[in-house]
Amino acid sequence: MTMTEPAPAPAARGLKGVVVADTALGGVRGAEGFYHYRQHSAVELATTRPFEDTWQLLFDGHLPSSEAERAAFCDEVRPLRALPPGLTAALPALAAAPTLDALRAALSLGAAELGTRPVVDLAPHERRRDALRVAAVTPTLVAALHRSSTGATPVAPRDDLGHAANYLWMLTGAEPEPAAAAAIERYLTATVDHGFNASTFTARVVASTGADVAAAVVAALAALGGPLHGGAPSRALELLDEIGSPERAAQVVRRKVAAGERIMGFGHAVYRTEDPRSVMLREVARSLGGPLAELALEVEAEVVAALAELKPGRQLYANVEYYASVVMATCGVPPSMFTPTFAVSRVVGWCAHVLEQAAERSIIRPDARYVGPPPSVRPAHHAPLRSGHRRRP
């Protein structure tokens, strides 16, 4: 009788619906239009708390319970923002590449100087130290690389500014307007984490190998750069530029749908209702005002209506990239820096996931279903080993 292996289960396209790990960091409820960081509503945190509170929540498992505890965490982060000398010297050469690519190179180059070591070799408090260092230095690196690429001198972080205001200060070299700093802070907090998206899952896979925090973040950055993931905000702004006026929205959407093109800034892989991040950022854009925000608000309604007509039953709404592009542009962030700014936020979530994954002490190693031609040579059946003999590995 010929023994055959049971047929493997069909592959889940893109791992959709496959639970690959347990996490206590947060979750996304797509049908409800809700997401949370640990047990707290992410939108509520974005609208009521400074960014550092969410950072502490993800790293330490709780929000600060007092001003003294909040100040202690900020005091811990503050000195970690500074660039090490070796990285500072390398900025001109690195800045020749696009900022996100340069950031990957900078973190790879600077890992030794930053002192990150394989997480498998570290105690929990040492892993946390490395994660805190990588997350704290990333905004400084992003801003310094951008300024170097334009011929401007990098600006050092200030001790008197919070995370979001400091980022705008380092990016522009100008005192940030309070409204702009508050808007960017809401954006950064709203995008810290969002389930097992492509970049977060990538960071966890690398962390599961025992690699250092910087290596996991570099891999996550590579995933984030894809236009179907973090590369979308600038393309959403390009859509607005192409439409130009609300009257042209339906015409542009029909042409793109007929050509099989994506409508960047609309639709989401998880949400089947409005994206709660987009809903929140819509109000931020409305409060900032200006011609771009007014155009975005009018165009959104026209695009949603056109998509409902052309793709009935798909429930396609504006996603986070649509209003993120409007908010960042209004606050003075250039389009080339939209995705790097996304990284300034998401690096905190990646590092939190690295810490959680490192505690698992198991490598992520899924199976694949072979669908090619049958192998031409069948494996030989090996005789059992005799006692006292060992097969070579």
Side-chain angles (χ1 to χ4, degrees), residues 371-384:
V371 296
S376 57
V377 179
R378 299 189 65 82
H381 292 286
H382 296 285

Side-chain angles (χ1 to χ4, degrees), residues 80-336:
L80 303 180
R81 291 190 177 119
L83 294 182
L87 270 182
T88 301
L91 285 175
L94 293 171
T99 302
L100 202 68
D101 298 340
L103 178 60
R104 294 202 309 265
L107 286 175
S108 293
L109 179 67
E113 198 174 4
L114 292 171
T116 60
R117 292 187 291 153
V119 294
V120 73
D121 297 331
L122 302 179
H125 74 279
E126 293 174 310
R127 294 179 202 141
R128 181 185 179 278
R129 176 204 62 208
D130 284 2
L132 207 61
R133 180 71 168 116
V134 170
V137 80
T138 294
T140 310
L141 260 177
V142 167
L145 287 165
H146 170 67
R147 291 183 65 81
S148 295
S149 72
T150 64
T153 302
V155 176
R158 282 169 42 178
D159 289 346
D160 62 322
L161 294 178
H163 193 74
N166 227 326
Y167 175 63
L168 284 177
W169 158 252
M170 293 187 293
L171 190 69
T172 65
E175 188 77 24
E177 292 289 337
I184 293 298
E185 184 160 52
R186 288 190 175 188
Y187 165 72
L188 294 177
T189 304
T191 52
V192 164
D193 186 50
H194 201 249
F196 272 35
N197 55 79
S199 56
T200 297
F201 184 56
T202 300
R204 290 191 72 125
V205 170
V206 175
S208 79
T209 70
D212 63 274
V213 177
V217 169
V218 168
L221 284 166
L224 187 74
L228 301 187
H229 189 19
S234 61
R235 297 190 178 214
L237 190 61
E238 289 170 7
L239 175 69
L240 268 175
D241 289 339
E242 181 179 355
I243 290 173
S245 65
E247 296 75 22
R248 295 189 68 247
Q251 173 191 343
V252 172
V253 169
R254 288 191 180 94
R255 175 170 51 78
K256 286 183 173 294
V257 169
E261 298 178 25
R262 289 176 178 266
I263 310 300
M264 303 307 292
F266 289 82
H268 193 271
V270 176
Y271 290 117
R272 295 298 172 263
T273 181
E274 284 195 288
D275 185 332
R277 301 166 299 175
S278 179
V279 173
M280 189 270 289
L281 289 173
R282 180 196 295 144
E283 294 311 308
V284 173
R286 198 190 304 274
S287 69
L288 290 170
L292 182 60
E294 292 174 8
L295 174 64
L297 289 164
E298 293 183 36
V299 164
E300 179 194 12
E302 297 296 329
V303 171
V304 169
L307 288 172
E309 175 190 335
L310 297 168
K311 294 177 178 281
R314 288 286 302 276
Q315 298 175 309
L316 298 171
Y317 301 99
N319 58 38
V320 64
E321 284 87 9
Y322 184 76
Y323 280 108
S325 68
V326 174
V327 169
M328 284 191 278
T330 304
C331 293
V333 179
S336 64

